[in-house]
Amino acid sequence: MKIHNYLMMSIGAALMLVSCGQQNQSSNGALSSSAAEKVYVAPGEQDEFYAFLSGGYSGNLTVYGLPSGRMFKEIPVFSQFPTSGYGYSEETKPMLNTSHGFVPWDDAHHPDISQTNGELDGRWIFINGNNTPRIARINLSTFETEEIIEVPNSAGNHSSSFITENTEYVVAGTRFSVPIPQRDMPINEYKSNFKGSLSFISVDPEHGHLDLKFQLLMPGFNYDLSHPGRGKSHGWFFFTTYNTEEAHTLQEVNASQNDKDFIAAVNWKKIEEYVNNGGGTKMPTNYAHNVYDESTHMATTTMKKEVLTVDPLKVPGAVYFLPTPKSPHGCDVDPTGQYIIGNGKLSADLTVHSFDKMIAAIEGEKFDGEAYGIPILKFEDVLAGQVKSGGLGPLHTEFDGKGNAYTTFFISSEVVKWQLGTWEVIDRKPTYYSVGHLMIPGGNSRKPFGKYVVAMNKITKDRYLPTGPEMEHSAQIYDISGEKMELIYDFPTHGEPHYAAGCPAELLAPKSKKIYRLDENKHPYAVTSPTGSKVVREGNEVHVYMSTIRSHFTPDNIEGIKVGDKVYFHITNHEQDFDVPHGFAMIGQNSSELLIMPGQTKTSVWEPKQVGVWPFYCTDFCSALHQEMQGYVRVSPANSNVELKWSLGE
Ligand code: RUQ
Ligand code: CUA
């Protein structure tokens, strides 16, 4: 596939590594000085855009700057994260509860930033957990995960988490169809028995709180990706499907039989109305809803027992199928809301449907049969055009807001720029290598910021210094401000980014939270003044109410703990200064350290198993006396009568 030709030259003490031989990479590629200037953000200067890249199998979300490609943060979402103690602290453990118990990992794919009137508003970012179906909401002022809702009756939560243009709903569609409700049955009875659920989760406009409003129970296809209508098509949602064959084994052959699969067009406004008028059927189920409260610094889990399901046949006019070749993957809607693009991954051409034509065909009742009672529109009646791209394996499309679309091709490893309306290919540039998703800031909105496109690639190979058999995935930034795309930068990512969301820095930076106010701390174990520190025994449980400030813990000596106790360290950080967290780590604890933000309280549990005098310390280098920030706990035998006492400076 490519030629590796490393030429190593040592000049004096310097070692230069030059990679050449890639046919398409000419001297005016990423190494030219004008390209370097385009991505150079001088020391002390800041980036123009935030980019949020999903972490795929890392379960988290990473934050980068564009155009520098500098990584700013990893936001823990579905995975335990020892760096901050997320999923380890008592306050955040409930975030990872599900109906399957504590699930400390997921496969996070598609972030989407909240919108108002179809434009990014920068309040929240949503992301899906693909494996144990969940949707998370992250607050974009604290950059913390605030809410995770499990999605019942779903499996492989992939056509998610996309939002409607006023953030009315975050939508989650199932990739796998399954028995609904789940039950013991032969797998080969899949066909016509399994169902695919499309979930509409409402978002409270004030606080962002999520509520599973209704679930549409669709035929047993695979629902791959989705995007909302916008502008004229606001009120509709579009889902690509594959495996309309309803195969249950050897999918690579059996799910590729049909010449065309479908894009499902769902009129959610119509279904919302139906549901608001008492429509739908309540079904018993069990799913977790986890909410983090910023004032108590604590998450709680509520198990929900019921879901409202909707049979599409009960709401005439709500769902239609648009035939789309050939096992389409990406389902993308242009900024005007007129064009719906199906990226048929086994097709050479891109299929573009017209919203106006779709409405006309529906009104003219020109159907081409039905599938399980859902009308199928005629392909020719809804087709706006086809892009004869010459590429192979189209996956995803984004838009620049200037009438152009950019589609990734996995097999031919390129980004292709084409024009909406004329369907003409304008430019194509190779990616290194095998691009999956791509992202233009605001590319999934009415108002994209078409300056850069970021390609996220599946294979890295020789792009960076080798790091053993596994390389981090690579991303590439192209300048798209001109007629032709220009590759200007390469940077490594973390996990496997499937999709990203970007927005102008000025939308988020000014409102980014600096501290939590100590006088607003409502944590039940908070210590809001240093004199409030204490140690309280309740049977085998010991609660340490601890405070920290540069450079000590109060208390720092504790005696009277016994083997068999369960010790809760509730630590309040008394700093009220930006970017001064303190850490806490206890020897031998079966957990991670904690990072406690200014004004925040977090709890770490320790169950001492050995007699002795055991140290704890601050893990974050917080001052010149950081190494002095430490203390001891004396652990006595289970039957000892050493008195409980604590102190600082005695
Ligand atoms: S989607 S590229 Cu195409 Cu989840 Cu991964
Ligand atoms: Cu506090 Cu180091």
Side-chain angles (χ1 to χ4, degrees), residues 574-593:
H574 280 197
E575 307 287 350
Q576 290 289 271
D577 207 358
F578 180 36
D579 199 22
V580 189
H582 289 292
F584 176 84
M586 182 76 222
I587 192 169
Q589 89 190 120
N590 304 112
S591 187
S592 79
E593 54 100 42

Side-chain angles (χ1 to χ4, degrees), residues 561-619:
I561 305 295
K562 297 177 211 168
V563 170
D565 282 347
K566 194 168 184 181
V567 184
Y568 292 82
F569 295 95
H570 308 285
I571 306 148
T572 304
N573 181 351
H574 280 197
E575 307 287 350
Q576 290 289 271
D577 207 358
F578 180 36
D579 199 22
V580 189
H582 289 292
F584 176 84
M586 182 76 222
I587 192 169
Q589 89 190 120
N590 304 112
S591 187
S592 79
E593 54 100 42
L594 301 180
L595 268 197
I596 307 132
M597 298 306 127
Q600 193 176 48
T601 304
K602 278 188 180 170
T603 302
S604 188
V605 170
W606 179 52
E607 295 177 75
K609 294 177 186 68
Q610 296 172 38
V611 166
V613 178
W614 305 104
F616 58 87
Y617 69 99
C618 170
T619 47

Side-chain angles (χ1 to χ4, degrees), residues 22-142:
Q22 186 60 44
Q23 56 188 26
N24 290 314
Q25 192 175 359
S26 60
S27 58
N28 61 0
L31 300 175
S32 78
S33 66
S34 76
E37 272 163 29
K38 283 181 177 168
V39 296
Y40 184 65
V41 178
E45 307 260 298
Q46 296 190 341
D47 280 281
E48 192 180 343
F49 294 97
Y50 281 99
F52 297 87
L53 275 62
S54 76
Y57 43 67
S58 86
N60 294 335
L61 185 68
T62 45
V63 189
Y64 286 80
L66 296 182
S68 74
R70 297 182 294 189
M71 182 182 157
F72 300 145
K73 193 185 177 77
E74 179 168 356
I75 303 173
V77 185
F78 298 113
S79 290
Q80 278 182 305
F81 195 60
T83 306
S84 65
Y86 178 87
Y88 291 97
S89 72
E90 293 306 293
E91 288 78 4
T92 53
K93 275 183 193 167
M95 293 302 282
L96 303 177
N97 286 339
T98 75
S99 63
H100 304 269
F102 184 74
V103 180
W105 168 86
D106 216 305
D107 183 14
H109 275 225
H110 313 123
D112 208 6
I113 295 171
S114 57
Q115 298 184 11
T116 302
N117 296 323
E119 294 182 17
L120 303 182
D121 63 23
R123 306 215 286 159
W124 308 296
I125 186 165
F126 301 88
I127 190 164
N128 59 321
N130 204 12
N131 178 56
T132 304
R134 288 176 274 182
I135 298 287
R137 179 177 57 83
I138 293 140
N139 181 325
L140 284 179
S141 89
T142 59

Side-chain angles (χ1 to χ4, degrees), residues 338-522:
Q338 168 69 304
Y339 299 120
I340 302 119
I341 293 133
N343 303 270
K345 53 186 190 289
L346 302 177
S347 155
D349 302 333
L350 280 174
T351 303
V352 186
H353 296 302
S354 153
F355 179 72
D356 288 344
K357 285 186 159 183
M358 180 190 96
I359 294 298
I362 292 170
E363 280 167 0
E365 298 190 4
K366 298 209 293 187
F367 303 132
D368 197 7
E370 37 99 353
Y372 294 102
I374 295 171
I376 302 172
L377 300 169
K378 280 207 186 84
F379 179 65
E380 299 73 26
D381 289 348
V382 293
L383 187 71
Q386 275 169 312
V387 183
K388 308 271 178 201
S389 65
L392 281 175
L395 289 184
H396 298 282
T397 301
E398 289 263 293
F399 309 91
D400 64 5
K402 299 171 212 154
N404 303 304
Y406 300 73
T407 300
T408 53
F409 289 79
F410 177 80
I411 299 170
S412 52
S413 189
E414 58 187 339
V415 178
V416 172
K417 174 181 180 181
W418 52 276
Q419 196 171 38
L420 289 155
T422 68
W423 325 122
E424 249 164 62
V425 171
I426 296 169
D427 191 23
R428 59 196 328 134
K429 283 286 179 321
T431 59
Y432 307 96
Y433 305 92
S434 299
V435 60
H437 251 292
L438 77 174
M439 183 275 281
I440 293 172
N444 171 39
S445 76
R446 278 208 221 176
K447 193 181 153 201
F449 302 86
K451 190 165 178 188
Y452 305 109
V453 65
V454 181
M456 286 157 274
N457 308 305
K458 302 300 185 190
I459 296 166
T460 304
K461 303 274 191 193
D462 57 2
R463 298 305 285 182
Y464 312 122
L465 292 174
T467 53
E470 212 257 327
M471 302 280 289
E472 288 285 26
H473 287 211
S474 79
Q476 266 121 29
I477 306 177
Y478 299 80
D479 179 338
I480 54 166
S481 55
E483 170 87 354
K484 301 282 177 190
M485 296 178 272
E486 187 191 357
L487 175 61
I488 54 175
Y489 201 58
D490 232 14
F491 64 98
T493 60
H494 188 56
E496 181 184 343
H498 299 251
Y499 210 23
C503 71
E506 70 220 18
L507 195 61
L508 305 188
K511 57 164 192 143
S512 188
K513 195 158 188 102
K514 299 224 157 39
I515 59 159
Y516 297 100
R517 286 186 46 180
L518 193 56
D519 58 6
E520 290 173 358
N521 184 330
K522 302 253 158 44

Side-chain angles (χ1 to χ4, degrees), residues 220-248:
F221 311 149
N222 289 50
Y223 296 84
D224 204 11
L225 276 153
S226 63
H227 266 102
R230 55 177 59 99
K232 60 165 74 177
S233 54
H234 178 57
W236 290 79
F237 222 97
F238 304 94
F239 297 83
T240 42
T241 69
Y242 66 99
N243 192 22
T244 50
E245 296 85 351
E246 294 179 79
H248 58 84

